Amino acid sequence: MNKPIRLGVLAWEVARNHTIEDYARHLDALVAEAAPHADLLLMPEYSCMEAAAALTDRPDPAAELAAVCRYSDAILNIMRETAQRHRVWLMPGTLPRPEAAGVRNRAPLIAPDGQVAFQDKHVMTRFENESWGVRAGNPPGVFETPWGLIGTSVCYDSEFPMLARAQIEAEAWLILVPTCTDSMHGFNRVRISAQARALENQCFVAVSPTVGDAPWLATLDENHGCAGVYGPVDRGFPADGIMAEGKLDQGGWIFTTLDPATLDAVRENGAVRNCRDWPVTVPVARRIPFSA
């Protein structure tokens, strides 16, 4: 049964790490700050890449990826121990996971007892494809949680409507979007996509970005965005669909309580029924002739 959730969403300001323990302390401090105020915490894509500064001697994207891949198990253990220590549901951002078929960008959702499940990024950006060789992961799925089914759409994945739609049709009512964008163009693509997914599916979508400049890293050298949570644009919701939003390029948490019952109501009694009216099949466009 779907239940209301108190959600914390972070704009992660990239910090300089000199040791892997610096990353662990940064993560712990952020979770300690937010855990008393939320049921589930969302952090950004590739936020753990800040640890690469402790593992490499100069900014180099390939070396940073290789270093974090070598420490991927240790970083995942840090994430799990943090969730357990603070007894909170945690999506600590994504991390590169080396596998036999290549590196995947995986988003772990960690339960308070340390159990973990993963959603892979499915569509790679040009940087991931051309500079890193990161491989497409498993298709969209849904996580079973105490609040019902929740989906995750990692950054670029949020720009493809059919991926989120598959999760909605599997009965997810909240989509988590960890993201890492190095320009306002990139961030606005994700933000606008998140708002579109919330509108067309009459669901909630939460976006967690990295922010700040980190010239000591090639991977996270420039980061833009703001934390945000978006919902339907209809009766019973804000006129712009913004449930909560932080300030642009400023680190910190935002919190909001989301009630799935409000989605049921708008899907049934809204001015429009976007979710229900999703076309089952998309017709092939034809040329429309002019006549005199």
Side-chain angles (χ1 to χ4, degrees):
M1 179 179 177
N2 296 339
K3 300 189 299 184
I5 189 172
R6 182 70 173 168
L7 182 66
V9 182
L10 179 67
W12 175 298
E13 187 169 4
V14 180
R16 188 161 197 166
N17 294 173
H18 298 283
T19 66
I20 197 75
E21 289 76 21
D22 286 345
Y23 166 73
R25 282 189 286 268
H26 189 197
L27 177 66
D28 186 78
L30 291 168
V31 174
E33 177 187 355
H37 309 291
D39 302 311
L40 188 152
L41 303 178
L42 173 63
M43 293 177 162
E45 179 187 37
Y46 288 134
S47 53
C48 70
M49 289 300 298
E50 75 169 37
L55 308 172
T56 55
D57 57 7
R58 59 185 174 84
D60 178 272
E64 290 168 13
L65 177 64
V68 172
C69 282
R70 287 196 303 272
Y71 280 80
S72 184
D73 287 344
I75 291 170
L76 181 59
N77 285 337
I78 288 169
M79 294 170 169
R80 295 177 70 175
E81 290 168 0
T82 303
Q84 288 177 284
R85 185 159 51 250
H86 296 283
R87 303 299 300 169
V88 69
W89 284 78
L90 176 64
M91 180 166 282
T94 70
L95 76 161
R97 296 292 287 168
E99 299 183 353
V103 177
R104 292 187 179 185
N105 183 11
R106 312 198 77 188
L109 181 61
I110 306 170
D113 62 2
Q115 292 190 79
V116 61
F118 294 91
Q119 173 62 63
D120 296 347
K121 189 173 186 177
H122 192 58
V123 185
M124 299 298 106
T125 63
R126 289 191 63 189
F127 175 81
E128 288 170 309
N129 267 323
E130 298 171 13
S131 298
W132 269 2
V134 176
R135 302 295 183 88
N138 294 326
V142 292
F143 297 109
E144 294 186 13
T145 77
W147 308 278
L149 297 173
I150 292 175
T152 295
S153 194
V154 178
C155 196
Y156 192 37
D157 283 355
S158 68
E159 299 179 32
F160 299 93
M162 69 289 293
L163 300 181
R165 184 65 189 186
Q167 295 169 322
I168 296 301
E169 291 182 350
E171 301 186 3
W173 63 275
L174 168 63
I175 307 293
L176 307 177
V177 181
T179 186
C180 177
T181 48
D182 62 2
S183 69
M184 285 305 302
H185 289 106
F187 174 67
N188 281 323
R189 285 194 298 269
V190 172
R191 181 181 184 271
I192 292 167
S193 296
Q195 290 180 287
R197 303 295 82 79
L199 182 154
E200 66 203 13
N201 293 299
Q202 295 177 299
C203 67
F204 295 117
V205 181
V207 176
S208 172
T210 50
V211 297
D213 294 334
W216 54 89
L217 287 166
T219 305
L220 297 177
D221 56 336
E222 186 176 354
N223 304 269
H224 293 283
C226 63
V229 182
Y230 309 103
V233 184
D234 208 330
R235 298 167 183 158
F237 296 86
D240 56 7
I242 300 174
M243 309 300 296
E245 197 169 56
K247 294 184 178 180
L248 183 65
D249 288 345
Q250 291 190 19
W253 290 99
I254 61 170
F255 301 94
T256 188
T257 299
L258 303 175
D259 186 351
T262 62
L263 301 178
D264 296 336
V266 77
R267 287 173 176 178
E268 182 62 31
N269 299 312
V272 291
R273 290 172 169 165
N274 302 84
C275 186
R276 183 182 299 182
D277 292 338
W278 183 275
V280 176
T281 59
V282 179
V284 176
R286 62 180 181 86
R287 296 184 182 185
I288 303 172
F290 288 90
S291 60

